[in-house]
Amino acid sequence: MKAAVLGATGYGGMGLLKLLAEHPSVDTILPASSSQPGAHLSSIYPGLSLTLLDKAREGTLLTVDEVRTERPDVVFAALPHLTSAEVCEPFFGSSVVIDLSADFRIPDAALFEQAYGSPPPRADLFEHSAYGLTEWFRDELRSADVIANPGCYPTASLLPLLPLLRDGLVDGPISITAMSGISGAGRKASVNLLFTERSENVNAYAPGSSHRHWAEISHYAGRYLHQSSGRILFTPHLVPITRGIAATTSCPLSDEADAEAIARSLEQAYGPEPFVGLSARAIPETRDVRGSNRCDIGFHVEGRMLLLFSVIDNLEKGAAGQAVQNMNVRFGLEETAGLGLWGAF
């Protein structure tokens, strides 16, 4: 299998290179960069293994045009929002495109424009696309030409919440508080991401409905949430760790719900799933899943309120790992192929 990675020099792209290098069904990797074509991967990512350099034909970064002539089976686009769809234009219809940007995540055009300030760049492709929250859209993924890899915050927020909403065990209003490592902001120079700014410092930002990921969370949770029950509030926080997301969701229980019903719903939804399930801890920790493609879930019932806890590695299940999981599903491969099941405790 031949896999291309557009935007190979960012955190998402580098994460994909690492996973594809060890993937048993990928024999050729085509890394591309619009900013550094012709450069050697080792100058960008010195920790690369020889396995990757062999699969990547000695590791030279290509242009998009050079990748197109290679006719890849799958194209991973680790590119900026509102740019990705344009760059991927040469591959639509000839390769499966797995997009790590937001360009195909929200099929509601008005909601997309509210979040990103522009209409969806290729709304005409939504009928051929699938949302890549793998455990919930597996059937759609098997035939999709375009796969919209979810955001990291929506992945951590939706996975514990969707089974309970579907089973009628909780309702709104829903409040989600999520904490992310600094790598979630991407690999870029910014004053607020400097070590001296982030060390010993925690802050909330874009609260309520002002963060772009609120639209994504609201759209997919809204399939099961009664409109009369109040809105979803989402407040992210930046914390001084490199990678990982911990989300705490609070919402009222429905009349018939209790702790046993919550546990049963989560077990039924994720019992057979290799990457999602109840944590061995009552409250999971980010170090439990660091470097893995897992989402660990816990919960606590307090009166008629439910507290849900979830953790992911934002660069794995929140980005590159879930993208590779989606590739595995789309091409009929073993779903766990090339992915980590154990956290680097």
Side-chain angles (χ1 to χ4, degrees), residues 153 176-179 203-208 211 234-238:
Y153 279 133
I176 302 168
T177 298
M179 294 167 283
N203 65 278
Y205 64 101
H211 193 280
F234 171 72
T235 302
H237 293 67
L238 197 56

Side-chain angles (χ1 to χ4, degrees), residues 134-287:
T134 319
E135 288 75 16
W136 286 82
F137 294 88
R138 192 176 278 115
D139 289 343
E140 293 90 335
L141 292 169
R142 291 191 174 104
S143 60
D145 296 326
V146 179
I147 295 172
N149 220 57
C152 51
Y153 279 133
T155 296
S157 302
L158 290 169
L159 284 172
L161 187 58
L162 288 180
L164 310 181
L165 285 171
R166 180 188 62 185
D167 294 345
L169 300 177
V170 299
D171 211 339
I174 295 170
S175 178
I176 302 168
T177 298
M179 294 167 283
S180 174
I182 300 166
S183 60
R187 195 183 192 199
K188 60 189 177 186
S190 180
V191 170
N192 75 311
L193 301 180
L194 293 172
F195 176 81
T196 50
E197 299 289 329
R198 295 273 38 104
S199 180
E200 304 297 324
N201 186 27
V202 175
N203 65 278
Y205 64 101
S209 61
S210 55
H211 193 280
R212 288 171 167 178
H213 283 171
W214 171 86
E216 190 177 337
I217 294 168
S218 294
H219 177 77
Y220 291 99
R223 302 192 310 163
Y224 305 108
L225 184 63
H226 300 303
Q227 295 300 315
S228 61
S229 60
R231 65 189 307 173
I232 293 173
L233 297 176
F234 171 72
T235 302
H237 293 67
L238 197 56
V239 297
I241 60 174
T242 301
R243 57 201 295 170
I245 286 179
T248 299
T249 299
S250 61
C251 53
L253 292 167
S254 60
D255 292 340
E256 64 274 18
D258 56 19
E260 289 185 6
I262 297 298
R264 185 165 55 249
S265 175
L266 292 169
E267 294 264 5
Q268 289 174 347
Y270 298 125
E273 295 291 346
F275 296 118
V276 185
L278 284 169
S279 171
R281 302 180 191 267
I283 302 177
E285 301 180 8
T286 57
R287 63 178 176 174

Side-chain angles (χ1 to χ4, degrees), residues 10 54 293 332:
D54 288 342
N293 195 52

Side-chain angles (χ1 to χ4, degrees), residues 4-22:
V5 177
L6 312 185
T9 60
Y11 287 140
M14 291 194 297
L16 285 162
L17 294 175
K18 179 189 73 171
L19 294 175
L20 295 172
E22 304 300 326

